[in-house]
Amino acid sequence: MPQQRISMRTIRDVLRYYYDERRSKRQIAGYLHISPGTVRNYLRRAEAAGVSWPLPAEYTDETLEALLFPSDQVPSDRPQPDWTELNRQLSRKGMTLERIWHTYRQVHPEGYSYGHFCVLYHEWSGLRKVTMRLHHKAGDKLFVDYAGTTVAIIDPDTGEVTQAQIFVATLGCSNYTYVEATPDQTIRSWIGAHVRALAFFGAVPAVVVCDNLKAAVVRANRKNRKIQPTYLDFARHYNTKISPARVKKPQDKSPVELGVKFVTTRILTGIRTRQFFSIEELNQAIAPLLKQLNEIPFQKKQGTRRGQFEELDRPAMRPLPDTRYEFRQWKKLIVNVDYHIQANFAYYSVPHRLRRKKLDVCIGETLLKCYYKNELVAIHQRLRIKGCFSTHRNHMPEKHRRYRDREHLLARARSVGPETERLTEAVLDRRSHQEQNFRAVMGILGLKDRYGPERLESACRLAALLGPRACNYPSIASILQKGRDLLQETVPVPPTILHKNLRGGDYYANKPKNESTDASSFNA
């Protein structure tokens, strides 16, 4: 094992004692607590390099080291790769160091071997790598992310196994951490985990730093980044800011990356041998381990995460609002010709003047709100049944406009035939507000352009024979598509069955109420 080199300050003392104070080598060794052989070695090197005392003022430690320990490496005559260009190529998807080396050897067959090539690249990249220590202000940033490790959840009824996602939130200053399991990484689970995390902290940070998952960022382009509208709505409710980290730059959220490491080693490994049958059961197992994690003393400074949080972060954070955030989904929807929008398979009216306009629609758990140019134009109770309508009377046009639309549709149906007119009138009268049926009628009448008036009239006749459940757009479109109208199809009438033991409705209608039927009458 090579002997460890002494410091340059000690070497300067050796030169000073020997040349200036005329001390012997053995005395110098005693003064500096080194061996006499080491003193002789450094004096020989100084004599060979022409170094004496006093040293010139411009001699730095690097200059003196270069004189006393000249490099014995001979510059290689092999072709040197362009390491900067090589590093840029490695950032491309699917590119590896081995592929780049093969290209290098094709151009320079006498070049480095693969092993030496890798060593030289890692030495070059190590010299370029610089780590900056970040100092986080108290109460400033909350870092959030999902852990890469998941936990299996077993459905107790079917035995199906799903993977629960582990949400981690860490404050930058105190490293105080919150952990919970969610069923997935959808926007609903993402926002719900944030709401519960802020409730856990009991305060709101100035900034939330997140990763670029789809639940948080719609478009991760650095120059034109777009954050999920629901996530922005959450931030407005809590008066905080959303700051996504740069793509493929985990150092931007290093506190939560470190938090994920501790969660994985101290929490998830502690429950790895257990089986869980619900998300609630998993979160109950996580809670005591999370408390222990926040109470563990720091190794390199005084205190714990919880102690630092209570001392530094909590006083600097803003208080929670009076109400918790209610999950709301934002969509941009176009108003249909019947001045209704379709949201989650239900229909809601807006002022008729906004037909064909694009609205911002906020879909909450109980209410649906429509905005046009940031102006609230309609509020509805959320409908849970598919295909239902919510129509406000003040959203309808004037009475004469409403009747003219009805007469216009009936006139179009009358031009096709009487069966089409009868079916159209039945469809218009199906709901309390006939405007809700305009779209269905327009769809039925639009089939004339594809199949012709004769076939549409025949299909409406067959639909009337099949009954009220067939008098709608899907049934008539199916009849025309399958050509059932061309077969002159009729509804079969069940044959009359005559038997002495069969009694119809007339028998029981005319039977006296006090007359009872016994078993012998059936056997007569």
Side-chain angles (χ1 to χ4, degrees), residues 144-145 190 209-213 216-217 244-246 248 253 257:
V144 293
D145 199 2
W190 176 252
V209 181
C210 63
D211 204 352
N212 288 274
L213 70 164
V217 180
R246 293 174 295 173
K248 297 182 180 180
K253 49 185 178 65
E257 294 290 342

Side-chain angles (χ1 to χ4, degrees), residues 86-320:
L86 184 152
N87 192 62
R88 188 186 66 81
Q89 292 181 18
L90 277 177
S91 63
R92 294 166 50 194
K93 186 176 181 179
M95 184 59 68
T96 63
L97 201 58
E98 185 178 7
R99 291 180 60 183
I100 296 176
W101 174 76
H102 281 297
T103 304
Y104 163 76
R105 285 300 294 263
Q106 289 176 1
V107 179
H108 306 290
E110 72 284 4
Y112 295 111
S113 65
Y114 177 63
H116 198 182
F117 185 85
C118 293
V119 169
L120 292 176
Y121 170 71
H122 290 305
E123 288 179 353
W124 176 86
S125 61
L127 293 174
R128 290 173 52 84
K129 185 176 181 180
V130 179
T131 301
M132 180 177 69
R133 180 173 294 276
L134 298 177
H135 297 278
H136 301 285
K137 295 189 296 183
D140 185 37
K141 292 181 179 179
L142 175 68
F143 299 84
V144 293
D145 199 2
Y146 277 108
T149 305
T150 58
V151 180
I153 302 293
I154 303 173
D155 190 310
D157 297 325
T158 64
E160 180 184 1
V161 178
T162 57
Q163 298 297 323
Q165 308 295 318
I166 306 301
F167 173 84
V168 182
T170 303
L171 288 167
C173 181
S174 63
N175 289 326
Y176 193 51
T177 301
Y178 171 75
V179 183
E180 79 163 63
T182 63
D184 46 45
Q185 294 189 15
T186 59
I187 180 64
R188 182 179 291 273
S189 297
W190 176 252
I191 296 296
H194 278 67
V195 172
R196 290 183 288 273
L198 295 185
F200 174 80
F201 296 128
V204 182
V207 181
V208 177
V209 181
C210 63
D211 204 352
N212 288 274
L213 70 164
K214 286 297 183 182
V217 180
V218 177
R219 184 173 54 243
N221 188 302
R222 182 171 59 87
K223 295 182 179 179
N224 190 20
R225 179 175 289 162
K226 182 179 180 182
I227 300 174
Q228 278 280 6
T230 303
Y231 203 16
L232 287 176
D233 187 52
F234 158 83
R236 284 192 292 268
H237 180 85
Y238 285 100
N239 191 22
T240 187
K241 302 179 183 65
I242 304 298
S243 177
R246 293 174 295 173
V247 178
K248 297 182 180 180
K249 299 293 183 183
Q251 63 268 27
D252 288 358
K253 49 185 178 65
S254 56
V256 75
E257 294 290 342
L258 188 60
V260 166
K261 175 184 175 183
F262 283 115
V263 168
T264 303
T265 57
R266 296 183 180 270
I267 295 181
L268 299 185
T269 56
I271 59 176
R272 67 182 183 278
T273 59
R274 296 180 55 181
Q275 287 187 338
F276 299 97
F277 299 94
S278 67
I279 294 292
E280 293 75 16
E281 182 183 352
L282 174 57
N283 281 323
Q284 289 175 4
I286 288 175
L289 298 177
L290 174 61
K291 184 177 181 181
Q292 293 178 13
L293 173 65
N294 285 321
E295 297 291 347
I296 295 175
F298 291 117
Q299 292 184 350
K300 297 184 178 179
K301 61 180 181 179
Q302 296 293 326
T304 63
R305 290 175 174 82
R306 180 171 183 80
Q308 291 285 298
F309 167 72
E310 296 292 348
E311 181 183 351
L312 301 175
D313 274 327
R314 185 190 284 276
M317 296 170 71
R318 289 191 290 269
L320 289 169

Side-chain angles (χ1 to χ4, degrees), residues 448-464:
K448 181 183 73 170
D449 299 334
R450 187 184 306 175
Y451 297 101
E454 294 81 7
R455 290 195 61 187
L456 178 58
E457 176 73 6
S458 179
C460 291
R461 183 182 301 108
L462 177 58

